[in-house]
Amino acid sequence: MKILFTSVILYILFQWSTATLIAIGLQNEESYQWEMNCFRIVKPMINYLTKVEDNEELRKKIINLEKRVERYEVQFKDQENQLKTKDTLLNEKSAEFQQQLKAKDDILLAKEEKFEAQKTLLDAKEEQIMSLSAQVTKYTVIIEDKDLELKKCKQQEEIFPFSVDGIRRLQIAGQASFEVPYVSPLSGWTVIQRRIDGEVSFNRDWIDYKNGFGDMQGNFFIGLEKLHLLTLSQPHELYIQLRDVTGNTKYARYDNLIVAGEKDNYMLQSIGKYTGTAGDSLTDHVGHMFTTKDKDNDVCTDSNCAAEEAGGWWYEDCAYSRLNGKYDKDGISSNHNGIAWGSWSEWNYTISLTFAQMMIRPSQKVN
């Protein structure tokens, strides 16, 4: 139909051109020639087009081609719609991705802020640690100084002070206060027995040993009742200082002295663990009662150890040590009844020590 329509249009144009030439007076040979030439050109086209119009097979092909074009157009529109749908989906995915990315950025920012806060806290902790470290260093120096003072104090104790530093009054709950001599006030040692010469006899009876006797500045015994009350009130350690006639000094130390009451004849209940340089000559006396020349509580069956050895003590049968024996200024005891500490020199009881001092203080840990 489109071809037929085109042929008609060409024919009409041809007739119109001829009529126009006639109207303007071009009837000469030249115009005629022009008309013939036009007819020669147009006529074959018309004939061809008319011939094509009559060609049914070609017309069907054209129709099929038009249908295919229409199908392609439909497919194109479908693909275009699909493309739009995909584009829309892509935009949605892109927006979702942007939201997720923003959420992750927010999380990362929050973590960065948290990290900064933790870093600030860590810096503060580090400053605190540095401050504490400085304090530890400071207190370490103080402790070292105190330890040095303690060692000096301990060394002073082992240097053997031969005179008391003073006299103080002690008070035990429920009892009347009483005076005692002391040495090294910082160390807290209280003198309970002292032998420096032969001016005071220690060969005494029970009542004197119970109540105490002597000079607090010189030869002295505190008294068994006071010693019992002191060791009963709280744990005490015992420190014994010894010296012979040649000037050699040694010591014995025990960490838990307990003396029983009079009903148990002031038994030596405990002395604890030994340390020192003089050897242990007192442990074998633990569990034995105090004996004086007028009150025999020892285990010797044929004699009174205190009467034979010239002084009261916690005798067994009779003594490994005896610090209340006879004072021999020359340091020799021919009767074996002098101031003795058996382990001083391999149990040689002819040696009579020329200085002995027993001290106690409340138990404390000493390095």
Side-chain angles (χ1 to χ4, degrees):
M1 295 297 294
K2 291 180 181 179
I3 296 174
L4 181 60
F5 177 76
T6 303
S7 300
V8 173
I9 294 301
L10 290 174
Y11 181 77
I12 291 171
L13 288 174
F14 175 76
Q15 293 298 328
W16 177 78
S17 299
T18 303
T20 302
L21 291 174
I22 293 173
I24 62 175
L26 297 178
Q27 296 292 334
N28 53 23
E29 183 179 357
E30 184 178 349
S31 62
Y32 176 76
Q33 187 65 39
W34 182 85
E35 179 181 1
M36 292 305 294
N37 288 336
C38 285
F39 181 75
R40 287 192 192 96
I41 294 170
V42 172
K43 187 175 187 310
M45 293 177 63
I46 293 171
N47 290 335
Y48 178 74
L49 291 173
T50 302
K51 189 175 181 180
V52 169
E53 180 70 17
D54 293 336
N55 192 334
E56 183 66 22
E57 184 178 353
L58 183 60
R59 187 176 65 81
K60 288 180 179 181
K61 289 182 179 180
I62 291 172
I63 291 172
N64 289 334
L65 287 172
E66 290 176 347
K67 289 180 179 181
R68 289 177 64 184
V69 169
E70 289 177 355
R71 286 198 303 271
Y72 288 147
E73 288 179 350
V74 172
Q75 291 177 1
F76 175 75
K77 288 182 179 180
D78 290 341
Q79 291 177 354
E80 185 177 18
N81 290 335
Q82 291 177 5
L83 185 61
K84 288 181 179 180
T85 301
K86 290 181 179 180
D87 187 58
T88 300
L89 182 61
L90 181 62
N91 290 335
E92 291 176 354
K93 291 291 185 181
S94 177
E96 182 180 353
F97 175 75
Q98 291 294 334
Q99 290 178 353
Q100 292 177 354
L101 185 62
K102 185 177 181 303
K104 290 182 178 180
D105 287 341
D106 292 340
I107 293 173
L108 182 61
L109 181 61
K111 289 184 177 180
E112 289 178 352
E113 292 176 351
K114 184 178 180 181
F115 173 77
E116 289 297 328
Q118 290 178 341
K119 185 176 181 298
T120 302
L121 181 61
L122 184 62
D123 291 341
K125 292 291 185 183
E126 186 175 358
E127 291 180 2
Q128 186 178 8
I129 290 172
M130 291 178 65
S131 175
L132 290 174
S133 178
Q135 292 184 30
V136 168
T137 302
K138 174 183 175 182
Y139 287 117
T140 299
V141 173
I142 293 174
I143 290 171
E144 288 176 351
D145 291 341
K146 293 296 183 182
D147 185 58
L148 183 60
E149 289 180 11
L150 186 60
K151 287 180 179 178
K152 287 181 179 179
C153 185
K154 184 177 179 181
Q155 289 173 356
Q156 288 176 359
E157 291 172 2
E158 296 172 9
I159 290 174
F160 298 88
F162 299 127
S163 63
V164 298
D165 290 335
I167 297 172
R168 61 186 168 194
R169 184 168 290 275
L170 295 182
Q171 177 70 58
I172 301 175
Q175 303 294 326
S177 63
F178 53 90
E179 291 183 338
V180 293
Y182 66 86
V183 296
S184 303
L186 293 178
S187 68
W189 289 112
T190 296
V191 177
I192 62 171
Q193 186 261 17
R194 206 160 195 264
R195 307 293 303 277
I196 60 174
D197 56 37
E199 294 297 321
V200 175
S201 173
F202 276 67
N203 189 15
R204 293 175 175 261
D205 57 21
W206 183 262
I207 193 66
D208 285 343
Y209 272 104
K210 174 183 176 180
N211 296 328
F213 57 88
D215 178 7
M216 290 189 186
Q217 298 288 346
N219 298 284
F220 172 74
F221 188 78
I222 190 173
L224 293 169
E225 184 63 23
K226 297 184 186 72
L227 187 56
H228 160 64
L229 293 174
L230 284 170
T231 60
L232 178 67
S233 66
Q234 59 183 313
H236 278 71
E237 55 183 323
L238 171 66
Y239 197 97
I240 300 173
Q241 297 173 322
L242 305 170
R243 184 180 64 181
D244 66 11
V245 71
T246 64
N248 292 326
T249 57
K250 298 179 182 180
Y251 75 94
R253 192 168 188 170
Y254 301 89
D255 62 7
N256 186 31
L257 174 65
I258 301 175
V259 176
E262 187 172 15
K263 68 177 183 178
D264 294 311
N265 295 313
Y266 300 112
M267 178 191 296
L268 187 61
Q269 286 187 309
S270 170
I271 57 175
K273 182 181 178 182
Y274 161 81
T275 56
T277 58
D280 181 11
S281 294
L282 191 58
T283 297
D284 286 329
H285 292 267
V286 174
H288 295 282
M289 296 177 286
F290 202 85
T291 292
T292 60
K293 64 181 182 179
D294 63 334
K295 192 168 185 178
D296 187 359
N297 295 312
D298 60 45
V299 296
C300 184
T301 58
D302 56 357
S303 65
N304 181 322
C305 294
E308 286 190 0
E309 301 191 7
W313 196 247
W314 293 278
Y315 290 105
E316 183 195 16
D317 184 23
C318 279
Y320 293 92
S321 63
R322 178 184 55 252
L323 299 185
N324 292 334
K326 180 177 177 293
Y327 189 89
D328 297 295
K329 64 180 181 179
D330 60 359
I332 298 174
S333 177
S334 57
N335 295 325
H336 295 192
N337 62 351
I339 300 173
W341 192 264
S343 56
W344 176 274
S345 181
E346 298 180 352
W347 317 102
N348 180 3
Y349 291 102
T350 62
I351 295 175
S352 183
L353 301 173
T354 55
F355 176 87
Q357 181 166 263
M358 300 175 69
M359 300 180 296
I360 64 170
R361 72 177 177 185
S363 297
Q364 54 184 293
K365 184 178 180 181
V366 178
N367 294 327

